[in-house]
């Protein structure tokens, strides 16, 4: 069933489990996300970035909407990192049930102003809104933030921001970062900061940049001929702890990109003469489904739908 973000995330915050919010760029990724969630009886969110909208347009949104509408578990279609009021309105017109306005690169007052504009318009249409306070480092499509420009979310500012904007859920900077390179070793997650923000606020909190970048997938990527540096992801234990303290929405993109590419590389290596796309993209979908299942189990959302 196609629902709003609030329909999924408010129960998650109350129930102390996380909901995976996975980025999609094509049919196979969308099927892997929704079919796996349905099999495991888990609520789920499917995200499209502005890059995905440029790539797949209304056609891709319609695939998500159709699969979500026919699903027997709650599914929301979410705009990831909307860069403007106009972008958010475009997504709403396309049928999105949740939108993000990311004005975190602006000063606090400007972030409030831009977020409030989107909240007023989206709420008038019954659509829920995510916003961001603080800045995550790393790279994700048009989001490029140097480490020196990243900063963690201030708990007191979070309270003011929520009160002044009416945002439904808030992405907070807690040590995660976008992309496959999250530092050396195990990335540091500021759990005390999460707990403080959760204590002061009542809305669902969001963790961006939460791919685990599994070692097995990275090694299979390399074995298949892929080149990747010392990739590092967020530990399962850190995500599990975070969901106990207000993190209700957990964004995952890199893991599916890697898993998809692994499936394609392995299929072509096993049969270099293969040119049937079903036998190339099908294995990619299978590997993504395995990664998604692991993430849903880590977040504790299995059986919650």
């Amino acid at each position: 069933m196609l629902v709003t973000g609030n329909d999924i995330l408010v129960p998650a915050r109350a129930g102390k489990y996380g909901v995976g919010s996975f980025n999609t760029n094509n049919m196979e990724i969308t099927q892997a996300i929704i079919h796996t969630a349905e099999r495991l009886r888990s609520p789920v969110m499917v995200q499209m970035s502005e890059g995905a909208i440029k790539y797949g347009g209304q056609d891709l949104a319609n695939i998500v909407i159709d699969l979500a509408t026919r699903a027997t578990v709650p599914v929301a279609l979410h705009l990831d990192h909307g860069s403007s009021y106009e972008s958010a309105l475009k997504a709403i017109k396309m049928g999105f049930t949740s939108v993000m306005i990311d004005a975190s690169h602006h000063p606090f007052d400007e972030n409030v102003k831009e977020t409030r504009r989107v909240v007023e318009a989206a709420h008038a249409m019954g659509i829920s809104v995510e916003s961001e306070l603080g800045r995550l480092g790393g790279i994700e499509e048009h989001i490029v933030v140097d480490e020196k420009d990243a900063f963690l979310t201030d708990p007191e500012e979070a309270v003011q921001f929520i009160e002044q904007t009416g945002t439904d859920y808030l992405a907070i900077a807690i040590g995660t970062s976008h992309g496959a390179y999250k530092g050396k070793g195990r990335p540091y997650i500021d759990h005390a900061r999460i707990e403080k923000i959760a204590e002061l606020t009542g809305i669902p909190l969001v963790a961006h940049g939460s791919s685990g970048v599994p070692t097995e997938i990275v090694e299979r990527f390399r074995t298949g001929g892929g080149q990747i540096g010392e990739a590092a992801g967020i530990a399962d234990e850190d995500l599990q702890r975070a969901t106990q303290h207000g993190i209700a929405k957990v964004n995952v993109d890199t893991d599916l990109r890697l898993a998809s590419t692994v499936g394609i590389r392995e299929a072509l290596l096993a049969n270099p003469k293969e040119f049937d796309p079903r036998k190339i993209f099908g294995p990619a979908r299978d590997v993504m489904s395995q990664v998604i299942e692991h993430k849903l189990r880590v977040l504790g959302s299995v059986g919650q739908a």
Side-chain angles (χ1 to χ4, degrees):
M1 62 201 81
L2 182 64
V3 301
T4 69
N6 261 348
D7 291 331
I8 290 175
L9 298 179
V10 171
R13 163 95 201 236
K16 295 187 177 182
Y17 59 89
V19 172
S21 196
F22 301 94
N23 286 71
T24 189
N25 293 288
N26 63 22
M27 182 189 75
E28 286 79 11
I29 300 174
T30 306
Q31 288 176 321
I33 297 167
I34 296 179
H35 290 170
T36 303
E38 191 157 28
R39 175 167 57 83
L40 298 176
R41 308 309 304 163
S42 171
V44 75
M45 296 181 72
V46 181
Q47 302 189 151
M48 287 174 61
S49 64
E50 291 180 350
I53 292 173
K54 183 178 180 180
Y55 177 74
Q58 188 68 59
D59 294 336
L60 179 56
N62 286 347
I63 289 173
V64 180
I65 292 167
D66 176 59
L67 285 172
T69 301
R70 292 188 287 112
T72 57
V73 297
V75 182
L77 173 54
H78 176 74
L79 171 66
D80 187 28
H81 284 291
S83 61
S84 66
Y85 175 81
E86 291 74 19
S87 177
L89 260 57
K90 176 182 177 181
I92 292 171
K93 290 178 182 177
M94 291 176 69
F96 284 60
T97 58
S98 174
V99 295
M100 179 185 185
I101 173 64
D102 181 2
S104 61
H105 53 288
H106 290 302
F108 181 85
D109 289 344
E110 186 67 17
N111 191 353
V112 166
K113 179 182 176 182
E114 288 302 303
T115 300
R116 188 165 55 219
R117 287 180 71 204
V118 173
V119 168
E120 289 172 353
H123 283 183
M125 301 294 291
I127 306 301
S128 10
V129 178
E130 174 184 342
S131 53
E132 184 168 335
L133 187 64
R135 298 214 74 193
L136 277 70
I139 301 173
E140 182 184 33
E141 294 193 358
H142 64 284
I143 308 298
V144 180
V145 181
D146 290 336
E147 187 176 343
K148 64 181 175 57
D149 296 322
F151 58 89
L152 303 185
T153 306
D154 179 85
E156 299 294 342
E157 277 196 346
V159 174
Q160 298 173 36
F161 187 82
I162 292 167
E163 290 175 349
Q164 293 179 38
T165 62
T167 191
D168 296 295
Y169 20 103
L170 182 67
I172 55 176
I174 51 176
T176 58
S177 59
H178 295 120
Y181 308 102
K182 304 181 189 297
K184 294 185 180 297
R186 179 169 172 169
Y188 169 74
I189 303 301
D190 193 339
H191 287 287
R193 188 175 300 269
I194 298 172
E195 292 168 19
K196 183 63 175 178
I197 295 172
E199 177 188 326
L200 296 175
T201 65
I203 67 173
L205 303 176
V206 181
H208 282 234
S210 295
S211 284
V213 194
T215 301
E216 179 202 354
I217 293 294
V218 171
E219 288 307 314
R220 288 169 66 180
F221 180 81
R222 291 189 178 121
T223 301
Q227 297 181 5
I228 188 170
E230 294 304 311
I234 305 305
D236 291 346
E237 295 79 9
D238 282 322
L239 289 180
Q240 289 172 330
R241 179 176 172 183
T243 60
Q244 297 302 301
H245 298 283
I247 296 292
K249 178 175 179 284
V250 177
N251 286 20
V252 177
D253 186 8
T254 297
D255 282 352
L256 298 195
R257 294 185 181 201
L258 284 171
S260 176
T261 307
V262 163
I264 292 169
R265 285 184 176 276
E266 290 180 345
L268 292 174
L269 275 175
N271 190 353
K273 296 181 180 180
E274 188 60 73
F275 56 85
D276 183 342
R278 295 168 297 182
K279 295 180 181 179
I280 299 171
F281 297 126
R285 183 174 56 196
D286 292 341
V287 179
M288 286 188 287
S289 295
Q290 295 166 15
V291 170
I292 292 164
E293 175 170 351
H294 175 77
K295 188 67 71 174
L296 296 181
R297 293 192 183 281
V298 166
L299 298 178
S301 64
V302 173
Q304 296 291 348

